[in-house]
């Protein structure tokens, strides 16, 4: 059976693949297109959210793979693989209610901080998940800080990411602030001009990134990420802002903005939405684990050498795309991270020379005794010579790295894979270049 990859350059490859998964389009599936068998074992200990073809946030059951889509264009992105994460904000849909330790939205009973005068109207708009659960923040009719906040009692951490879904009403700009006192980061999100501008402590400008992502029906996912350790527990604050970029001003008691899906993660980049409504405490999302072992693995893998191809995207651009682990040699194996290929015991490391973050990339890499090559986006990234590039493989891990001895690591892709193909022979470099263009 030949590979149906859908482009002429694949048809030019004379060798027949022994494994191929296509995770995008109408025929997306966890079934191997060569054997017609379900070779992958997929697990996730919790439910998880994803974006469907209409840009609506949906929920996948425990152990159900997530096939993600671009919320703006509806493009099929592929199999979503993410590390485990926790949303430290309770009642994330409604943004109201008290937490497990006495903290709460709009107030903080433990510290005696004053309750904000900004009001929140529940069930005011259709949310990004299609339910009528979005709230509307309305300015206070007085002068002062125009904010709605939550004080987080989670342990201190190096790196935080705050996110909120926002939709313009009478107001079309919102500020998201994460931090503690003066040691905080914040950004202005302009929903009309679709811009995200840093507006916080100047010391942290180089440590902080902010993004705004369009969703259907006028919604935007607004996120701010930082590598800063604030040295204390953190606030999560939403502010109105006036035309002079002041967050303290005379409100009119009428103007508002729709909000939904508040999230605070102890990490330096955002992941998929983790709803916490109905609970006073934090909620976690389990990691996505996809692997092939046993005869499901040995039926297609050639220990003498072969060629892998992958088409994928990553949020952070540093972790595993795929990995082959061994058991006979506990310190050996081969892995392809987002910008490098490692083969042990050959001690070969091939490095990419491109920025892997923010857009899809196509990769092809050989793994056998002799000359091995890494191509990305039609360009030879690196090449080397290996005396013993691979042997005794027992597991393929998709979207992660295997650990020595055939286990699974915590270096998750944090992105999507649209295709992965394996040929049990070493393809010529001319084909590798064509495949990845």
């Amino acid at each position: 059976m030949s590979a149906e990859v859908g482009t002429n350059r694949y048809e030019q490859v004379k060798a027949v693949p022994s494994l191929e998964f296509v995770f995008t389009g109408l025929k997306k599936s966890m079934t191997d297109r060569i054997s017609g068998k379900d070779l992958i074992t997929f697990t996730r200990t919790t439910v998880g959210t994803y974006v469907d073809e209409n840009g609506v946030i949906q929920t996948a059951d425990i152990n159900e793979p997530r096939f993600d889509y671009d919320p703006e264009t509806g493009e099929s992105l592929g199999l979503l693989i993410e590390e485990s994460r926790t949303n430290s904000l309770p009642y994330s849909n409604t943004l109201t209610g008290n937490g497990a330790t006495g903290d709460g939205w709009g107030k903080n009973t433990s510290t005696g901080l004053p309750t904000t005068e900004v009001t929140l109207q529940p069930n005011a708009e259709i949310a990004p998940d299609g339910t009528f659960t979005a709230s509307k923040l309305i300015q206070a009719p007085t002068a002062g800080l125009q904010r709605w906040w939550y004080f987080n009692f989670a342990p201190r951490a190096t790196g935080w990411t705050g996110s909120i879904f926002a939709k313009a009403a009478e107001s079309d700009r919102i500020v998201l602030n994460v931090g503690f006192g003066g040691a905080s980061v914040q950004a202005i999100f302009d929903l009309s001009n679709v811009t995200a501008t840093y507006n916080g402590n100047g010391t942290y400008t180089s440590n902080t990134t902010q993004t705004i992502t369009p969703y259907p029906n006028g919604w935007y996912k607004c996120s701010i990420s930082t590598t800063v350790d604030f040295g204390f527990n953190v606030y999560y604050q939403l502010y109105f802002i006036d035309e002079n970029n002041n967050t303290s001003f005379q409100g009119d008691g009428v103007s508002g903005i729709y909000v939904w899906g508040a999230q605070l993660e102890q990490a330096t980049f955002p992941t998929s939405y983790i709803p916490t409504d109905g609970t006073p405490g934090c909620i976690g999302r389990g990691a996505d684990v996809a692997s092939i072992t046993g005869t499901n693995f040995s039926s297609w893998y050639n220990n003498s050498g072969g060629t892998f191809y992958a088409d994928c995207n990553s949020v952070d651009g540093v972790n595993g795309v795929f990995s082959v682990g061994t058991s006979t040699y506990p310190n050996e194996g081969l892995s392809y991270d987002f910008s490098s290929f490692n083969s042990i015991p050959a001690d070969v490391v091939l490095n990419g020379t491109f920025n892997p973050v923010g857009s899809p990339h196509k990769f092809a890499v050989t793994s056998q005794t002799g000359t091995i090559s890494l191509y990305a986006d039609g360009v030879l990234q690196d090449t080397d010579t290996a005396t013993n590039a691979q042997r005794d493989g027992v597991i393929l891990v998709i979207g992660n790295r295997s650990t020595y001895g055939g286990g699974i690591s915590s270096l998750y892709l944090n992105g999507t894979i649209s295709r992965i193909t394996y040929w049990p022979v070493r393809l010529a470099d001319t084909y590798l270049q064509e495949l990845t263009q």
Side-chain angles (χ1 to χ4, degrees):
M1 181 177 180
S2 62
E4 298 179 10
V5 183
T7 59
N8 291 332
R9 59 178 176 269
Y10 278 86
E11 297 172 0
Q12 295 173 9
V13 178
K14 304 304 181 182
V16 177
S18 56
L19 181 80
E20 181 171 62
F21 292 103
V22 177
F23 300 127
T24 58
L26 296 177
K27 295 183 179 180
K28 62 182 181 297
S29 173
M30 298 291 281
T31 301
D32 172 29
R33 301 183 73 179
I34 305 302
S35 67
K37 297 180 180 180
D38 297 329
L39 304 180
I40 297 175
T41 298
F42 182 89
T43 62
R44 188 184 56 253
T45 58
T46 67
V47 300
T49 66
Y50 64 97
V51 177
D52 71 11
E53 61 271 25
N54 297 312
V56 179
I57 295 177
Q58 303 287 356
T59 299
D61 290 335
I62 294 172
N63 295 333
E64 180 186 354
R66 297 178 290 167
F67 296 101
D68 212 23
Y69 289 78
D70 186 293
E72 182 179 19
T73 66
E75 177 189 0
S76 179
L77 300 178
L79 178 65
L80 179 59
I81 300 290
E82 293 182 306
E83 66 192 33
S84 62
R85 283 288 180 89
T86 296
N87 186 353
S88 297
L89 299 175
Y91 305 108
S92 57
N93 284 2
T94 60
L95 280 70
T96 184
N98 292 333
T101 55
D103 48 325
W105 282 102
K107 61 179 180 179
N108 186 298
T109 57
S110 295
T111 63
L113 293 173
T115 301
T116 177
E117 293 188 24
V118 168
T119 57
L120 184 139
Q121 177 187 344
N123 303 324
E125 178 62 287
I126 297 175
D129 68 346
T131 62
F132 199 73
T133 55
S135 299
K136 185 178 184 180
L137 284 180
I138 302 172
Q139 294 178 12
T142 56
L145 286 173
Q146 302 285 336
R147 66 178 172 183
W148 189 257
W149 61 350
Y150 189 91
F151 186 83
N152 175 43
F153 284 95
R156 60 180 290 184
T158 301
W160 290 92
T161 293
S163 300
I164 187 69
F165 289 88
K167 178 178 179 177
E170 295 83 7
S171 298
D172 63 356
R173 296 201 302 163
I174 190 170
V175 172
L176 174 55
N177 176 289
V178 174
F180 182 79
S184 63
V185 298
Q186 69 180 32
I188 301 172
F189 297 93
D190 188 321
L191 308 184
S192 293
N193 295 308
V194 195
T195 59
T197 307
Y198 184 75
N199 189 43
N201 189 318
T203 304
Y204 306 136
T205 303
S206 62
N207 304 93
T208 305
T209 58
Q210 49 280 330
T211 59
I212 181 169
T213 304
Y215 275 67
N217 303 316
W219 284 98
Y220 295 88
K221 183 178 181 179
C222 307
S223 299
I224 185 167
S225 302
T226 184
T227 59
V228 174
D229 179 350
F230 296 112
F232 199 70
N233 302 327
V234 301
Y235 292 106
Y236 175 100
Q237 302 181 93
L238 300 173
Y239 290 89
F240 286 102
I241 189 168
D242 69 7
E243 64 277 8
N244 296 315
N245 290 343
N246 297 314
T247 55
S248 179
F249 60 92
Q250 174 69 50
D252 60 16
V254 176
S255 298
I257 194 167
Y258 299 111
V259 291
W260 182 87
Q263 187 151 305
L264 183 62
E265 304 172 76
Q266 294 182 25
T268 57
F269 58 90
T271 61
S272 60
Y273 177 51
I274 306 170
T276 62
D277 264 35
T279 58
C282 308
I283 294 292
R285 182 196 61 241
D288 299 288
V289 180
S291 63
I292 303 176
T293 59
T295 56
N296 284 350
F297 175 85
S298 61
S299 62
W300 56 268
Y301 188 71
N302 179 16
N303 274 306
S304 297
T307 303
F308 276 102
Y309 167 86
D311 189 343
C312 52
N313 196 1
S314 177
V315 176
D316 60 343
V318 296
N319 291 338
V321 175
F322 66 80
S323 180
V324 173
T326 69
S327 61
T328 306
Y329 304 92
N331 293 322
E332 299 175 1
L334 59 90
S335 65
Y336 179 69
D337 294 343
F338 214 83
S339 58
S340 67
F341 174 80
N342 297 273
S343 178
I344 306 170
D347 292 327
V348 171
V349 177
L350 304 182
N351 293 303
T353 57
F354 59 96
N355 181 5
V357 180
S359 61
H361 295 281
K362 297 179 175 66
F363 308 94
V365 63
T366 60
S367 54
Q368 69 168 39
T369 299
T371 302
I372 61 177
S373 302
L374 168 64
Y375 277 80
D377 302 332
V379 177
L380 176 63
Q381 301 293 316
D382 204 355
T383 187
D384 205 339
T385 301
T387 58
N388 190 2
Q390 64 175 39
R391 58 186 179 188
D392 294 338
V394 296
I395 182 174
L396 173 70
V397 181
I398 300 173
N400 199 346
R401 292 187 63 174
S402 61
T403 60
Y404 298 143
I408 296 175
S409 78
S410 58
L411 299 174
Y412 294 90
L413 174 65
N414 293 312
T416 53
I417 300 178
S418 62
R419 181 185 300 272
I420 186 166
T421 306
Y422 177 80
W423 290 264
V425 295
R426 200 264 194 230
L427 298 182
D429 277 27
T430 53
Y431 287 137
L432 301 181
Q433 184 178 18
E434 286 292 323
L435 285 170
T436 59
Q437 286 181 342

